[in-house]
Amino acid sequence: MNFVTASSLSTRKSADLLVIPFWKGKKGAEAASAMENPLSKLLEGPLSLRDFLGKEGEMLIVYASGQSEKRLALLGLGECEKITVERLRRAYAQVAKTCQKQKFKEINILPPSCEGMSTEDLVRGICEGLLLPNYAFTMLKHDSLKENKPEILAKATLIGINKQDLAKAQRYATLSESVNFVRDLVNGNADDITPQCLASAARDLEKTCKHVKTTLFDKKRIEKEKMGLLLAVNRGSFRDPVFAIIEYKGNPKSSDHTVVVGKGITFDTGGLNLKPTGSMETMKGDMAGAAAVLGIIQAASALGLKVNVTGVFASTENCIDALSFKPGDVYAGYSGKTVEISNTDAEGRLILADALAYTVEKLKPSRIIDLATLTGAVEIALGDEITGLMTNNDVLADLLVRAGSETGEKVWRLPLPEEYREALKSDIADIKSTGGRAGGCLKAGLFLQDFVGKTPWAHLDIAGTAFVSEAKRYQPKYATGIGVRLIISFLELL
Ligand code: BES
Ligand code: ZN
Ligand code: ZN
């Protein structure tokens, strides 16, 4: 979406809709922005009849003549004293969703003025509310069905906004392009978005993004590096595995360096411990961590962040074949540690163990953050709106929780209880890959912790939040694109 500005109401250009904000007041809706007299006159009717009260996200469209727009939308922002960026996102998301349905392509926005909030925050709430739901995955829809295709809002004019704030708006638009890039990858067919496809997306970033360098390992190189756990998971697939390192150097003089590591299982059947019907249908989204890593690097470069961040992902399918890795067998990974495979469906932690161990040893980062659709247990614990965070470092925890509340991509810290490590003990290997159902996401976290040594590390279990069955507020259905806004905000806090 393109954001532009007009200096005042009287200089605005024609559009499909003018959005006028209102607070919910004691006696009904109250104007949240200065309006011209003819506009207030037009709205007297609906306001005096109390057809519209200004509740958060409430919207009423009235038809007007003699204006630059044929329609005026009264938009409720709720109570003025309670306004937050998140509430603005939710309110303006209603505008974006209505525009999609009604196929409105260009809108004019009269922003509210609010004493308790900076213009920067106002712009953030409005823009993200408009941008985040403004997405539809229609690539696989047949042409004849395209008349049902929702229209994507193309242009929003922010009336009375200065150049600096407009530049901020454009940054949110850039960021949401990376979110949508991730959504397309996660929503795409598993047979299209293969490890090879993710590898070529990584290669493309090097070509299209400034200060980005991509290194790809093919199967031969992965064998040479002795990434035996990634290779074990890959045994059941006819497609080769991929290991990718994508470096963005936004601050070459600094040695500070964050690595984000993603789980890239392009389809998770469960392997020989096959998933039942009902649990496998969304498993094309099991590469959401790797997709987020690609989106984070793309966004960091597009926004010109003055930080160094490297994306790493390991990718393979977890399929079934005569060659499949087997429950009860023991494999050694990059770190040299041997792992007893207690369940082939716990494959994510295996490929991450190799990626984390490699990252610690070869990339020597200041900190690591991994993103992985790792356990069903985290969804049971926190639902589909909160990501599980496990970390060995309190500073990382604070920054990630802060980034979560700033972006609305909420994270909640969970413990890494030493007591539960007992469950991962194996009689025949250095460690066992699973430790029973209870506290499943914590045991997965404990398993990963074994491969990061003393490096500050945070694990984000996005199994509940990466792929959702219902659209909610400003989040579209299916792939959410989680992780991009969160980690970019985290990097900006460093
Ligand atoms: N990819 C799944 C986790 C998952 C579940 C992601 C639901 C998204 C939605 C992961 O590989 C898995 O199957 N984990 C197992 C671990 C168990 C065998 C210890 C699980 O959560 O059941
Ligand atoms: Zn699995
Ligand atoms: Zn998985």
Side-chain angles (χ1 to χ4, degrees):
M1 189 188 315
N2 192 17
F3 288 110
V4 297
T5 176
S7 56
S8 68
L9 261 174
S10 52
T11 58
R12 72 192 195 273
K13 302 228 170 70
S14 63
D16 297 308
L17 186 73
L18 171 66
V19 182
I20 306 170
F22 287 86
W23 304 118
K24 178 172 171 281
K26 294 227 161 60
K27 294 182 191 137
E30 294 167 3
S33 184
M35 276 183 281
E36 279 169 0
N37 210 15
L39 272 182
S40 335
K41 278 245 142 50
L42 274 169
L43 302 178
E44 268 171 12
L47 291 176
S48 64
L49 288 171
R50 295 174 62 84
D51 282 357
F52 170 84
L53 296 170
K55 286 184 276 187
E56 183 186 299
E58 188 185 357
M59 216 172 133
L60 179 75
I61 294 187
V62 297
Y63 296 88
S65 56
Q67 297 298 321
S68 308
E69 310 81 2
K70 292 200 179 75
R71 310 168 193 88
L72 308 177
L74 290 76
L75 177 69
L77 304 181
E79 291 168 46
C80 179
E81 306 76 47
K82 291 193 179 156
I83 197 70
T84 59
V85 173
E86 178 67 10
R87 285 175 188 268
L88 282 170
R89 281 187 198 110
R90 293 175 185 186
Y92 281 87
Q94 297 304 325
V95 177
K97 287 192 262 188
T98 302
C99 290
Q100 269 206 9
K101 252 190 247 141
Q102 311 270 44
K103 301 190 192 291
F104 300 157
K105 293 202 88 169
E106 298 187 0
I107 60 174
N108 289 333
I109 306 267
L110 184 58
S113 47
C114 177
E115 270 183 17
M117 190 179 263
S118 64
T119 325
E120 194 180 330
D121 280 348
L122 276 173
V123 167
R124 179 173 198 168
I126 296 171
C127 293
E128 291 195 319
L130 293 173
L131 289 161
L132 293 170
N134 195 33
Y135 171 84
F137 182 70
T138 51
M139 266 185 255
L140 306 176
K141 251 183 172 330
H142 191 273
D143 268 353
S144 65
L145 297 173
K146 283 213 170 128
E147 56 193 59
N148 297 328
K149 189 179 149 182
E151 198 69 59
I152 294 300
L153 189 56
K155 181 178 160 193
T157 302
L158 301 167
I159 297 163
I161 292 290
N162 66 31
K163 283 229 163 79
Q164 269 174 340
D165 289 321
L166 180 67
K168 293 257 163 63
Q170 281 154 350
R171 281 173 75 85
Y172 291 117
T174 303
L175 194 48
S176 83
E177 277 172 30
S178 295
V179 174
N180 290 343
F181 164 61
V182 174
R183 289 172 177 172
D184 281 346
L185 287 171
V186 177
N187 281 325
N189 269 348
D191 270 339
D192 296 330
I193 313 296
T194 59
Q196 286 60 44
C197 167
L198 293 180
S200 83
R203 181 64 72 209
D204 285 350
L205 290 187
E206 182 176 55
K207 293 186 197 135
T208 55
C209 302
K210 274 195 191 147
H211 311 301
V212 171
K213 191 178 139 240
T214 298
T215 309
L216 294 171
F217 292 178
D218 60 7
K219 187 173 178 183
K220 244 187 165 163
R221 177 71 190 269
I222 290 168
E223 283 167 348
K224 196 164 158 238
E225 297 289 350
K226 298 200 169 60
M227 294 183 175
L229 296 171
L230 172 57
L231 289 164
V233 177
N234 179 251
R235 288 175 62 98
S237 172
F238 82 97
R239 294 183 221 272
D240 280 359
V242 161
F243 190 82
I245 303 163
I246 318 146
E247 293 164 82
Y248 167 71
K249 272 207 155 59
N251 189 0
K253 284 192 193 133
S254 165
S255 60
D256 188 89
H257 180 209
T258 304
V259 176
V260 286
V261 176
K263 168 178 172 182
I265 296 291
T266 56
F267 193 75
D268 184 8
T269 65
L272 290 178
N273 292 112
L274 186 64
K275 284 184 184 295
T277 297
S279 296
M280 208 192 291
E281 291 76 357
T282 57
M283 283 302 131
K284 65 179 181 180
D286 211 19
M287 35 55 80
V293 160
L294 288 165
I296 290 162
I297 300 298
Q298 187 191 61
S301 167
L303 297 171
L305 295 195
K306 302 264 178 289
V307 297
N308 302 318
V309 53
T310 297
V312 167
F313 65 79
S315 179
T316 173
E317 289 174 334
N318 184 23
C319 280
I320 294 198
D321 183 83
L323 292 175
S324 284
F325 75 129
K326 294 165 182 70
D329 272 2
V330 174
Y331 289 88
Y334 181 87
S335 71
K337 274 184 199 148
T338 55
V339 181
E340 178 189 345
I341 309 300
S342 29
N343 187 321
T344 58
D345 197 9
E347 81 300 335
R349 63 196 75 185
L350 301 177
I351 69 166
L352 282 176
D354 276 351
L356 291 170
Y358 181 89
T359 298
V360 169
E361 190 178 307
K362 290 286 170 60
L363 308 181
K364 299 188 173 43
S366 315
R367 63 199 70 79
I368 305 179
I369 301 171
D370 77 69
L371 298 107
T373 47
L374 207 62
T375 65
V378 82
E379 191 173 3
I380 304 300
L382 299 176
D384 63 1
E385 297 206 53
I386 303 171
T387 292
L389 160 68
M390 282 144 266
T391 174
N392 60 7
N393 185 285
D394 292 345
V395 177
L396 273 183
D398 285 349
L399 291 175
L400 284 164
V401 169
R402 242 171 88 191
S405 70
E406 273 180 17
T407 53
E409 295 195 338
K410 291 180 285 297
V411 304
W412 189 263
R413 188 176 184 180
L414 298 168
L416 288 166
E418 276 310 311
E419 298 84 333
Y420 294 178
R421 204 172 272 292
E422 197 70 27
L424 298 176
K425 284 212 167 123
S426 163
D427 292 334
I428 55 169
D430 298 335
I431 191 169
K432 208 162 67 170
S433 67
T434 68
R437 254 164 62 84
C441 54
L442 314 182
K443 287 169 185 163
L446 285 166
F447 180 88
L448 297 181
Q449 191 181 18
D450 237 39
F451 296 86
V452 295
K454 292 210 157 46
T455 306
W457 153 82
H459 159 55
L460 294 168
D461 193 336
I462 56 172
T465 48
F467 199 89
V468 297
S469 54
E470 289 303 326
K472 268 192 208 143
R473 296 183 278 273
Y474 50 84
Q475 204 76 271
K477 205 176 184 174
Y478 305 137
T480 60
I482 192 117
V484 178
R485 294 192 312 117
L486 176 74
I487 300 298
I488 292 297
S489 170
F490 165 85
L491 293 169
E492 284 175 334
L493 287 172
L494 280 179

PDB file of all heavy atoms in Angstrom, residues 301-324:
ATOM      1  N   SER A 301      17.243  -5.139   5.644  1.00  0.00           N
ATOM      2  CA  SER A 301      17.943  -4.475   4.548  1.00  0.00           C
ATOM      3  C   SER A 301      17.078  -3.358   3.952  1.00  0.00           C
ATOM      4  O   SER A 301      17.560  -2.240   3.733  1.00  0.00           O
ATOM      5  CB  SER A 301      18.313  -5.511   3.490  1.00  0.00           C
ATOM      6  OG  SER A 301      18.710  -4.866   2.313  1.00  0.00           O
ATOM      7  N   ALA A 302      15.807  -3.630   3.721  1.00  0.00           N
ATOM      8  CA  ALA A 302      14.933  -2.614   3.116  1.00  0.00           C
ATOM      9  C   ALA A 302      14.816  -1.385   4.014  1.00  0.00           C
ATOM     10  O   ALA A 302      14.696  -0.256   3.526  1.00  0.00           O
ATOM     11  CB  ALA A 302      13.554  -3.214   2.839  1.00  0.00           C
ATOM     12  N   LEU A 303      14.847  -1.604   5.329  1.00  0.00           N
ATOM     13  CA  LEU A 303      14.729  -0.477   6.262  1.00  0.00           C
ATOM     14  C   LEU A 303      16.090   0.145   6.563  1.00  0.00           C
ATOM     15  O   LEU A 303      16.177   1.166   7.236  1.00  0.00           O
ATOM     16  CB  LEU A 303      14.089  -0.948   7.577  1.00  0.00           C
ATOM     17  CG  LEU A 303      12.652  -1.480   7.494  1.00  0.00           C
ATOM     18  CD1 LEU A 303      12.236  -2.114   8.823  1.00  0.00           C
ATOM     19  CD2 LEU A 303      11.680  -0.363   7.128  1.00  0.00           C
ATOM     20  N   GLY A 304      17.145  -0.497   6.067  1.00  0.00           N
ATOM     21  CA  GLY A 304      18.509   0.019   6.300  1.00  0.00           C
ATOM     22  C   GLY A 304      18.890   0.036   7.773  1.00  0.00           C
ATOM     23  O   GLY A 304      19.558   0.968   8.242  1.00  0.00           O
ATOM     24  N   LEU A 305      18.486  -0.990   8.536  1.00  0.00           N
ATOM     25  CA  LEU A 305      18.812  -1.030   9.967  1.00  0.00           C
ATOM     26  C   LEU A 305      20.325  -1.006  10.162  1.00  0.00           C
ATOM     27  O   LEU A 305      21.060  -1.682   9.445  1.00  0.00           O
ATOM     28  CB  LEU A 305      18.254  -2.294  10.631  1.00  0.00           C
ATOM     29  CG  LEU A 305      16.743  -2.490  10.718  1.00  0.00           C
ATOM     30  CD1 LEU A 305      16.425  -3.600  11.714  1.00  0.00           C
ATOM     31  CD2 LEU A 305      16.005  -1.220  11.097  1.00  0.00           C
ATOM     32  N   LYS A 306      20.763  -0.245  11.154  1.00  0.00           N
ATOM     33  CA  LYS A 306      22.211  -0.141  11.428  1.00  0.00           C
ATOM     34  C   LYS A 306      22.645  -1.236  12.402  1.00  0.00           C
ATOM     35  O   LYS A 306      23.153  -0.967  13.484  1.00  0.00           O
ATOM     36  CB  LYS A 306      22.526   1.232  12.033  1.00  0.00           C
ATOM     37  CG  LYS A 306      22.110   2.398  11.150  1.00  0.00           C
ATOM     38  CD  LYS A 306      23.285   2.883  10.314  1.00  0.00           C
ATOM     39  CE  LYS A 306      22.887   4.021   9.398  1.00  0.00           C
ATOM     40  NZ  LYS A 306      22.020   3.620   8.280  1.00  0.00           N
ATOM     41  N   VAL A 307      22.359  -2.464  12.041  1.00  0.00           N
ATOM     42  CA  VAL A 307      22.753  -3.606  12.876  1.00  0.00           C
ATOM     43  C   VAL A 307      23.279  -4.712  11.969  1.00  0.00           C
ATOM     44  O   VAL A 307      23.027  -4.707  10.756  1.00  0.00           O
ATOM     45  CB  VAL A 307      21.555  -4.179  13.675  1.00  0.00           C
ATOM     46  CG1 VAL A 307      20.990  -3.164  14.658  1.00  0.00           C
ATOM     47  CG2 VAL A 307      20.452  -4.682  12.745  1.00  0.00           C
ATOM     48  N   ASN A 308      23.987  -5.657  12.576  1.00  0.00           N
ATOM     49  CA  ASN A 308      24.400  -6.844  11.837  1.00  0.00           C
ATOM     50  C   ASN A 308      23.508  -7.995  12.257  1.00  0.00           C
ATOM     51  O   ASN A 308      23.401  -8.294  13.443  1.00  0.00           O
ATOM     52  CB  ASN A 308      25.854  -7.180  12.143  1.00  0.00           C
ATOM     53  CG  ASN A 308      26.767  -6.005  11.799  1.00  0.00           C
ATOM     54  OD1 ASN A 308      26.591  -5.367  10.755  1.00  0.00           O
ATOM     55  ND2 ASN A 308      27.699  -5.706  12.673  1.00  0.00           N
ATOM     56  N   VAL A 309      22.845  -8.589  11.293  1.00  0.00           N
ATOM     57  CA  VAL A 309      21.987  -9.734  11.607  1.00  0.00           C
ATOM     58  C   VAL A 309      22.126 -10.789  10.518  1.00  0.00           C
ATOM     59  O   VAL A 309      22.131 -10.477   9.322  1.00  0.00           O
ATOM     60  CB  VAL A 309      20.504  -9.303  11.831  1.00  0.00           C
ATOM     61  CG1 VAL A 309      19.962  -8.483  10.690  1.00  0.00           C
ATOM     62  CG2 VAL A 309      19.592 -10.498  12.083  1.00  0.00           C
ATOM     63  N   THR A 310      22.311 -12.025  10.955  1.00  0.00           N
ATOM     64  CA  THR A 310      22.445 -13.130  10.013  1.00  0.00           C
ATOM     65  C   THR A 310      21.277 -14.079  10.183  1.00  0.00           C
ATOM     66  O   THR A 310      20.890 -14.401  11.310  1.00  0.00           O
ATOM     67  CB  THR A 310      23.764 -13.894  10.284  1.00  0.00           C
ATOM     68  OG1 THR A 310      24.852 -12.998  10.052  1.00  0.00           O
ATOM     69  CG2 THR A 310      23.913 -15.103   9.362  1.00  0.00           C
ATOM     70  N   GLY A 311      20.704 -14.493   9.072  1.00  0.00           N
ATOM     71  CA  GLY A 311      19.640 -15.495   9.101  1.00  0.00           C
ATOM     72  C   GLY A 311      20.230 -16.857   8.770  1.00  0.00           C
ATOM     73  O   GLY A 311      21.037 -16.983   7.849  1.00  0.00           O
ATOM     74  N   VAL A 312      19.857 -17.859   9.552  1.00  0.00           N
ATOM     75  CA  VAL A 312      20.310 -19.230   9.296  1.00  0.00           C
ATOM     76  C   VAL A 312      19.072 -20.111   9.273  1.00  0.00           C
ATOM     77  O   VAL A 312      18.183 -19.946  10.098  1.00  0.00           O
ATOM     78  CB  VAL A 312      21.263 -19.709  10.428  1.00  0.00           C
ATOM     79  CG1 VAL A 312      21.498 -21.204  10.361  1.00  0.00           C
ATOM     80  CG2 VAL A 312      22.595 -18.967  10.361  1.00  0.00           C
ATOM     81  N   PHE A 313      18.959 -20.984   8.278  1.00  0.00           N
ATOM     82  CA  PHE A 313      17.911 -22.003   8.412  1.00  0.00           C
ATOM     83  C   PHE A 313      18.361 -23.343   7.880  1.00  0.00           C
ATOM     84  O   PHE A 313      19.214 -23.439   6.998  1.00  0.00           O
ATOM     85  CB  PHE A 313      16.573 -21.567   7.779  1.00  0.00           C
ATOM     86  CG  PHE A 313      16.580 -21.386   6.277  1.00  0.00           C
ATOM     87  CD1 PHE A 313      16.497 -22.477   5.420  1.00  0.00           C
ATOM     88  CD2 PHE A 313      16.620 -20.120   5.722  1.00  0.00           C
ATOM     89  CE1 PHE A 313      16.462 -22.312   4.034  1.00  0.00           C
ATOM     90  CE2 PHE A 313      16.598 -19.928   4.339  1.00  0.00           C
ATOM     91  CZ  PHE A 313      16.516 -21.027   3.503  1.00  0.00           C
ATOM     92  N   ALA A 314      17.796 -24.398   8.495  1.00  0.00           N
ATOM     93  CA  ALA A 314      17.987 -25.760   8.016  1.00  0.00           C
ATOM     94  C   ALA A 314      16.632 -26.183   7.473  1.00  0.00           C
ATOM     95  O   ALA A 314      15.597 -25.911   8.094  1.00  0.00           O
ATOM     96  CB  ALA A 314      18.402 -26.663   9.165  1.00  0.00           C
ATOM     97  N   SER A 315      16.645 -26.831   6.304  1.00  0.00           N
ATOM     98  CA  SER A 315      15.359 -27.159   5.690  1.00  0.00           C
ATOM     99  C   SER A 315      15.343 -28.557   5.066  1.00  0.00           C
ATOM    100  O   SER A 315      16.290 -28.971   4.394  1.00  0.00           O
ATOM    101  CB  SER A 315      15.035 -26.113   4.605  1.00  0.00           C
ATOM    102  OG  SER A 315      13.816 -26.429   3.984  1.00  0.00           O
ATOM    103  N   THR A 316      14.272 -29.264   5.324  1.00  0.00           N
ATOM    104  CA  THR A 316      14.014 -30.556   4.692  1.00  0.00           C
ATOM    105  C   THR A 316      12.539 -30.885   4.899  1.00  0.00           C
ATOM    106  O   THR A 316      11.870 -30.273   5.734  1.00  0.00           O
ATOM    107  CB  THR A 316      14.875 -31.681   5.308  1.00  0.00           C
ATOM    108  OG1 THR A 316      14.456 -32.941   4.765  1.00  0.00           O
ATOM    109  CG2 THR A 316      14.720 -31.766   6.821  1.00  0.00           C
ATOM    110  N   GLU A 317      12.047 -31.858   4.144  1.00  0.00           N
ATOM    111  CA  GLU A 317      10.732 -32.423   4.467  1.00  0.00           C
ATOM    112  C   GLU A 317      10.938 -33.474   5.557  1.00  0.00           C
ATOM    113  O   GLU A 317      12.023 -34.053   5.671  1.00  0.00           O
ATOM    114  CB  GLU A 317      10.150 -33.130   3.243  1.00  0.00           C
ATOM    115  CG  GLU A 317       9.711 -32.200   2.143  1.00  0.00           C
ATOM    116  CD  GLU A 317       9.288 -32.977   0.894  1.00  0.00           C
ATOM    117  OE1 GLU A 317       9.784 -34.115   0.691  1.00  0.00           O
ATOM    118  OE2 GLU A 317       8.477 -32.446   0.138  1.00  0.00           O
ATOM    119  N   ASN A 318       9.891 -33.760   6.313  1.00  0.00           N
ATOM    120  CA  ASN A 318       9.917 -34.917   7.221  1.00  0.00           C
ATOM    121  C   ASN A 318       8.881 -35.903   6.673  1.00  0.00           C
ATOM    122  O   ASN A 318       7.708 -35.840   7.021  1.00  0.00           O
ATOM    123  CB  ASN A 318       9.569 -34.481   8.658  1.00  0.00           C
ATOM    124  CG  ASN A 318       9.689 -35.631   9.655  1.00  0.00           C
ATOM    125  OD1 ASN A 318      10.409 -36.601   9.409  1.00  0.00           O
ATOM    126  ND2 ASN A 318       8.982 -35.526  10.777  1.00  0.00           N
ATOM    127  N   CYS A 319       9.352 -36.764   5.754  1.00  0.00           N
ATOM    128  CA  CYS A 319       8.430 -37.661   5.048  1.00  0.00           C
ATOM    129  C   CYS A 319       8.680 -39.121   5.407  1.00  0.00           C
ATOM    130  O   CYS A 319       9.479 -39.425   6.285  1.00  0.00           O
ATOM    131  CB  CYS A 319       8.569 -37.450   3.544  1.00  0.00           C
ATOM    132  SG  CYS A 319       7.672 -36.009   2.996  1.00  0.00           S
ATOM    133  N   ILE A 320       7.980 -39.997   4.701  1.00  0.00           N
ATOM    134  CA  ILE A 320       8.121 -41.431   4.968  1.00  0.00           C
ATOM    135  C   ILE A 320       8.663 -42.140   3.737  1.00  0.00           C
ATOM    136  O   ILE A 320       8.244 -41.845   2.613  1.00  0.00           O
ATOM    137  CB  ILE A 320       6.753 -42.048   5.335  1.00  0.00           C
ATOM    138  CG1 ILE A 320       6.287 -41.463   6.665  1.00  0.00           C
ATOM    139  CG2 ILE A 320       6.848 -43.562   5.416  1.00  0.00           C
ATOM    140  CD1 ILE A 320       5.206 -42.263   7.333  1.00  0.00           C
ATOM    141  N   ASP A 321       9.570 -43.053   3.965  1.00  0.00           N
ATOM    142  CA  ASP A 321      10.187 -43.809   2.877  1.00  0.00           C
ATOM    143  C   ASP A 321      10.831 -45.040   3.500  1.00  0.00           C
ATOM    144  O   ASP A 321      10.971 -45.123   4.724  1.00  0.00           O
ATOM    145  CB  ASP A 321      11.254 -42.895   2.230  1.00  0.00           C
ATOM    146  CG  ASP A 321      11.920 -43.542   1.031  1.00  0.00           C
ATOM    147  OD1 ASP A 321      11.340 -43.465  -0.060  1.00  0.00           O
ATOM    148  OD2 ASP A 321      13.015 -44.119   1.200  1.00  0.00           O
ATOM    149  N   ALA A 322      11.224 -45.981   2.651  1.00  0.00           N
ATOM    150  CA  ALA A 322      11.940 -47.153   3.180  1.00  0.00           C
ATOM    151  C   ALA A 322      13.218 -46.740   3.903  1.00  0.00           C
ATOM    152  O   ALA A 322      13.703 -47.448   4.782  1.00  0.00           O
ATOM    153  CB  ALA A 322      12.267 -48.111   2.035  1.00  0.00           C
ATOM    154  N   LEU A 323      13.738 -45.570   3.522  1.00  0.00           N
ATOM    155  CA  LEU A 323      15.000 -45.121   4.127  1.00  0.00           C
ATOM    156  C   LEU A 323      14.798 -44.269   5.391  1.00  0.00           C
ATOM    157  O   LEU A 323      15.768 -43.818   6.000  1.00  0.00           O
ATOM    158  CB  LEU A 323      15.788 -44.310   3.103  1.00  0.00           C
ATOM    159  CG  LEU A 323      16.342 -45.089   1.907  1.00  0.00           C
ATOM    160  CD1 LEU A 323      16.987 -44.124   0.906  1.00  0.00           C
ATOM    161  CD2 LEU A 323      17.362 -46.124   2.367  1.00  0.00           C
ATOM    162  N   SER A 324      13.546 -44.024   5.762  1.00  0.00           N
ATOM    163  CA  SER A 324      13.256 -43.112   6.897  1.00  0.00           C
ATOM    164  C   SER A 324      14.092 -43.402   8.137  1.00  0.00           C
ATOM    165  O   SER A 324      14.362 -44.568   8.444  1.00  0.00           O
ATOM    166  CB  SER A 324      11.781 -43.252   7.298  1.00  0.00           C
ATOM    167  OG  SER A 324      10.955 -42.591   6.376  1.00  0.00           O
TER     168      SER A 324
END
